[in-house]
Amino acid sequence: MAEKTYLQAISDGLRQEMRRDNRVFVIGEDVGVYGGAFKVTLGFQEEFGPWRVIDAPLAETAILGAATGASIMGMRPVAEMQFADFISCGWDHLVTVAAKQRFRAGTPVPIVVRLPSGGGFSGGPFHSQNPESSFAHIPGLKCVCPATPEDAKGLLVAAIEDPNPVLFFEHKHLYRRIKAEVPDERYVTPMGKARTHREGDDLSVITWGAMVYTAEEAAKQLEDDGVSVEIVDLRTVMPWDKEAVLESVRKTSKVLVLHEDNRTGGFGGEIAATIAEEAFEDLDAPVKRIAAPDTPVPFAPVLEKAFIPQVEDVVKGIRELAEY
Amino acid sequence: MAVREAEPVGSLSEVREAGLDREDLLGIYRNLLITRGIEERGHILYKQGKIPGSFYTGRGNEGAAVGVATAMAPDDVGTPLHRDMGVHVTRGVEPWRIFAQYMGREGGPTRGRDGNVHMADARLGMIAMVSHLPAMLPVAVGCALSFRIREEKRVAVGWSGEGAMARGDAHEAMNFAGVRQLPVVFICDNNQWAYSTPTHLGYAVEHLADRANAYGFEGVVVDGTDVLAVYREAKAAIEKARNGGGPTLLELKTLRMEGHAVHDDAFYVPKELFEEWAKSDPIERFRTWLRENADLTTEEEEEISARVKKLLNDALSQAEESPQPDPATLLEGVYATPEDLDTPHHK
């Protein structure tokens, strides 16, 4: 057990898997000599060589397609998109080939796609997005969005073990900001099991990724007002832990769904609809959503701040719910 | 590394040098007949209303498909397309399963989950195509990459049509394969028409094989109606890849002798073009060659035809007996389970 950043936890988890299983290899842009744009694979090429840490041409479809082909031949590829935003260049491959191959042809595609995602430092429209909802909509794909260093490692191991294409959204704003104890040994954090980040009685915040910490900060601020907030960290958006969400809603009777992705069509809508269908009679207030507005991610810091849900937005939302 | 135009195959001794004995030649002939026979019966099934959706054939491409597949080793893998029925036949997919696939039955390779030629038998080293051509080229490159990582002497064969060569996937796949000199052979079935779009609206170079030069490997243009020339060139390219020589792009020229799919009468293809290419039918051409060079007798010919006819008639009956898929199983298999990885490849 040692304190590690979210980024170190991912890096350690990946290195551990590569040491124990020579089917695991890394492919992506600048992942080798440079160690990855965020240095997740720093030192990997020295340890594992250029054929297990593959510097690919700047071609996302080639990277993802090659990962799929290699996985069908028995390898366990971990592909890196330099930024989650660039997965749009590989959308066709993931959605058309990787997601559907098991269903229609019986061929599993056990690949992991690492996706540095999220905003908070003026990355602008093309280096800040959170596209998990788009992929959660596609049957056959799994979407993982860890919030803590411990989960980041355990879910990465789970993703590599999983026999399906798994999109691993690692939030860039957590990379070096969040530190916590991470077990040294290998462990698997199961997908589809939410985590109660904070216990509370008055209302539930359902969220994932970096918004877990935004919610936590808001909850702390509201302690003095006597509002007890429960935070449920979904950990994985597909599959998502419906039971844990409904259980928390039944306990508190009020719910705020919070995410950093755009509002319309964001995964929060699915969660809200499910709560309305299955826990309507347990609710004491309408389900509330806080999400980014329906614009591209803006560049200027003041605009980006207006775009990404802030602690004060969540405090305000929780107050409204508490007072309902 | 200028593009090379392959010579036609001449004598039996030349073919022997390329690794085929007389039995192999008769096997190729049989596979050609089965391939065409399957698609001819498919037309009948379609007219009988037994094939849902549309129906696609590779008439005119039988020699190209069978020639390449014959050149592959059992451990090699590939991603054949909808004009490449001959690949499935040569790799040993039982014809009844193909008819069951056409009809959306449980016994087809996709168990009714996908239609027409969107199928493959993974146990025979084939990976099922998708509609978004040439999406399987990067996948073939990935197979080759795994062989390179594990230092296995295996080769992946990736197929595209000339139309789909306009898409970025083709570029990304060939570029990556060239950079890493991976053991992959790219087959371009150039049948001159991408649905109704002729080649001059699809690419500006004289030969698609010219592109190989830009990716750092050899391109070869082959008459796709000459099954033996296709075999010889595919064999050379596959063995070159196996021995560390990197990729090759083989452009196999044919004419698509039917419409894009069964609904399409191909009115846009000049009649004279059909007449010209009909003289170069791959099966007729090979039969004549066998008579002239390998002493194929009328008795042998009749015996092979009769056997193929029986095989296909039996296959049709077996396919018709295959049940419809059970709608109660619809949700199964969207996600793979760990047990699904219990295959020879994944161990």
Side-chain angles (χ1 to χ4, degrees):
Chain A
M1 207 75 154
E3 188 173 77
K4 284 183 178 146
T5 62
Y6 182 90
L7 187 142
Q8 279 169 332
I10 294 169
S11 185
D12 287 359
L14 184 54
R15 192 185 295 104
Q16 233 170 40
E17 289 309 285
M18 289 183 73
R19 282 179 182 165
R20 71 179 279 279
D21 184 350
N22 61 14
R23 299 173 307 171
V24 181
F25 74 95
V26 167
I27 181 169
E29 294 158 18
D30 309 300
V31 295
V33 173
Y34 192 68
F38 297 96
K39 305 294 179 192
V40 169
T41 51
L42 189 65
F44 277 43
Q45 201 174 64
E46 285 86 337
E47 179 170 352
F48 301 106
W51 286 100
R52 283 185 72 202
V53 185
I54 298 173
D55 277 320
L58 203 162
E60 283 75 13
T61 298
I63 292 167
L64 294 170
T68 291
S71 81
I72 294 172
M73 292 298 109
M75 301 298 281
R76 290 304 181 94
V78 178
E80 178 180 302
M81 297 287 100
Q82 196 155 81
F83 285 79
D85 309 69
F86 300 139
I87 197 151
S88 55
C89 301
W91 164 276
D92 179 38
H93 174 80
L94 272 179
V95 170
T96 303
V97 182
K100 295 173 176 57
Q101 207 71 5
R102 169 64 190 86
F103 177 76
R104 60 185 203 93
T107 315
V109 177
I111 63 172
V112 178
V113 186
R114 290 188 34 247
L115 296 154
S117 58
F121 30 85
S122 285
F126 310 116
H127 291 75
S128 309
Q129 295 172 87
N130 293 278
E132 66 268 16
S133 304
S134 311
F135 293 99
H137 180 69
I138 308 298
L141 300 179
K142 292 189 175 181
C143 298
V144 178
C145 307
T148 68
E150 187 176 344
D151 280 359
K153 179 177 167 181
L155 283 168
L156 182 64
V157 175
I160 293 169
E161 266 195 357
D162 198 278
N164 293 286
V166 179
L167 307 192
F168 190 84
F169 293 90
E170 35 193 75
H171 202 293
K172 302 193 290 290
H173 203 38
L174 304 179
Y175 268 157
R176 293 182 172 81
R177 181 166 65 104
I178 299 299
K179 282 185 190 164
E181 295 288 310
V182 178
D184 293 325
E185 71 275 11
R186 180 179 192 268
Y187 59 94
V188 179
T189 306
M191 291 190 212
K193 288 276 170 217
R195 181 182 68 90
T196 305
H197 184 74
R198 179 191 170 98
E199 298 258 10
D201 300 316
D202 297 333
L203 58 88
S204 305
V205 178
I206 314 299
T207 190
W208 59 89
M211 285 293 112
V212 168
Y213 300 97
T214 306
E216 183 180 31
E217 190 53 41
K220 280 182 189 161
Q221 290 187 17
L222 287 158
E223 270 172 6
D224 295 340
D225 298 354
V227 182
S228 168
V229 177
E230 178 146 302
I231 300 172
V232 177
D233 168 14
L234 277 190
R235 287 169 152 166
T236 64
V237 166
M238 187 55 65
W240 69 284
D241 192 348
K242 192 170 86 174
E243 284 316 310
V245 169
L246 294 175
E247 195 182 315
S248 181
V249 170
R250 287 184 185 121
K251 174 180 159 190
T252 63
S253 307
K254 291 182 178 177
V255 59
L256 169 68
V257 184
L258 169 66
H259 61 65
E260 192 182 308
D261 189 9
N262 302 107
R263 182 180 175 89
T264 302
F267 201 72
E270 178 65 26
I271 296 168
T274 303
I275 294 168
E277 280 177 334
E278 302 197 26
F280 183 75
E281 295 184 356
D282 296 296
L283 290 173
D284 287 334
V287 178
K288 192 171 187 65
R289 278 186 293 163
I290 294 181
D294 293 333
T295 72
V297 187
F299 167 70
V302 289
L303 294 178
E304 193 186 29
K305 194 159 175 270
F307 174 86
I308 296 175
Q310 302 293 310
V311 173
E312 51 268 33
D313 302 322
V314 179
V315 167
K316 183 167 169 279
I318 291 176
R319 279 224 170 89
E320 285 167 10
L321 259 188
E323 287 161 11
Y324 185 89
Chain B
M1 268 195 299
V3 66
R4 178 164 65 79
E5 294 192 50
E7 295 291 322
V9 164
S11 65
L12 184 61
S13 62
E14 191 189 331
V15 172
R16 285 203 169 118
E17 274 171 38
L20 297 175
D21 61 21
R22 192 169 184 277
E23 276 308 301
D24 296 326
L25 293 168
L26 295 183
I28 289 173
Y29 179 60
R30 181 173 173 274
N31 287 336
L32 290 169
L33 292 185
I34 294 172
T35 301
R36 181 162 295 173
I38 286 171
E39 296 189 333
E40 284 176 347
R41 280 161 179 79
H43 272 298
I44 296 167
L45 287 173
Y46 184 82
K47 283 183 188 137
Q48 290 172 334
K50 290 178 180 168
I51 297 182
S54 195
F55 177 63
Y56 301 75
T57 74
R59 194 176 181 96
N61 199 57
E62 297 93 339
V66 170
V68 174
T70 305
M72 295 171 72
D75 274 354
D76 295 339
V77 301
T79 62
L81 304 179
H82 52 308
R83 313 291 182 208
D84 302 312
M85 178 56 66
V87 175
H88 298 288
V89 169
T90 304
R91 294 296 286 197
V93 179
E94 296 164 279
W96 79 268
R97 298 186 68 214
I98 295 164
F99 292 132
Q101 166 78 10
Y102 285 165
M103 295 189 286
R105 302 295 178 87
E106 186 66 31
T110 70
R111 302 172 57 230
R113 270 65 178 170
D114 203 345
N116 56 69
V117 200
H118 292 188
M119 59 167 196
D121 190 332
R123 291 166 303 179
L124 301 172
M126 297 293 111
I127 302 172
M129 65 174 286
V130 297
S131 291
H132 301 42
L133 309 175
M136 303 315 284
L137 290 185
V139 176
V141 169
C143 297
L145 178 64
S146 72
F147 302 152
R148 175 62 186 79
I149 293 171
R150 299 191 300 235
E151 297 183 339
E152 294 170 353
K153 293 242 169 198
R154 296 167 70 187
V155 177
V157 180
W159 271 266
S160 174
E162 91 289 347
M165 292 287 275
R167 270 192 75 222
D169 289 25
H171 163 71
E172 291 195 23
M174 290 196 286
N175 184 56
F176 186 29
V179 167
R180 292 280 173 167
Q181 289 294 293
L182 297 175
V184 57
V185 174
F186 297 103
I187 305 294
C188 175
D189 290 331
N190 185 349
N191 65 19
Q192 306 185 53
W193 297 86
Y195 208 146
S196 71
T197 306
T199 52
H200 73 270
L201 297 179
Y203 56 91
V205 283
E206 187 183 357
H207 303 293
L208 275 168
D210 291 339
R211 287 194 194 166
N213 227 347
Y215 300 117
F217 49 84
E218 191 189 15
V220 184
V221 181
V222 190
D223 178 346
T225 69
D226 181 347
V227 62
L228 293 177
V230 170
Y231 168 83
R232 182 190 60 206
E233 297 303 328
K235 184 82 178 167
I238 288 169
E239 295 315 315
K240 179 183 176 185
R242 196 185 312 287
N243 293 310
T248 304
L249 170 58
L250 297 182
E251 178 182 354
L252 312 182
K253 285 201 149 165
T254 60
L255 178 67
R256 194 190 69 207
M257 298 304 283
E258 294 182 339
H260 170 65
V262 67
H263 64 273
D264 170 23
D265 67 1
F267 68 88
Y268 44 81
V269 179
K271 197 162 156 274
E272 306 74 51
L273 198 59
F274 277 131
E275 286 166 1
E276 183 195 328
W277 282 82
K279 292 178 203 151
S280 189
D281 177 79
I283 298 180
E284 292 299 327
R285 195 172 165 178
F286 186 51
R287 191 184 355 247
T288 304
W289 187 91
L290 283 173
R291 283 177 187 152
E292 291 172 359
N293 294 278
D295 303 321
L296 177 72
T297 63
T298 309
E299 295 74 44
E300 275 179 315
E301 236 186 276
E302 284 170 357
E303 193 196 332
I304 293 171
S305 293
R307 282 194 184 171
V308 168
K309 194 173 172 188
K310 180 169 184 333
L311 172 78
L312 296 181
N313 288 345
D314 291 350
L316 264 179
S317 308
Q318 191 174 352
E320 300 240 31
E321 283 163 23
S322 178
Q324 300 282 352
D326 179 0
T329 65
L330 174 62
L331 299 184
E332 289 173 9
V334 176
Y335 290 94
T337 62
E339 295 73 50
D340 287 334
L341 294 180
D342 191 21
T343 71
H345 290 313
H346 286 94
K347 271 177 184 159

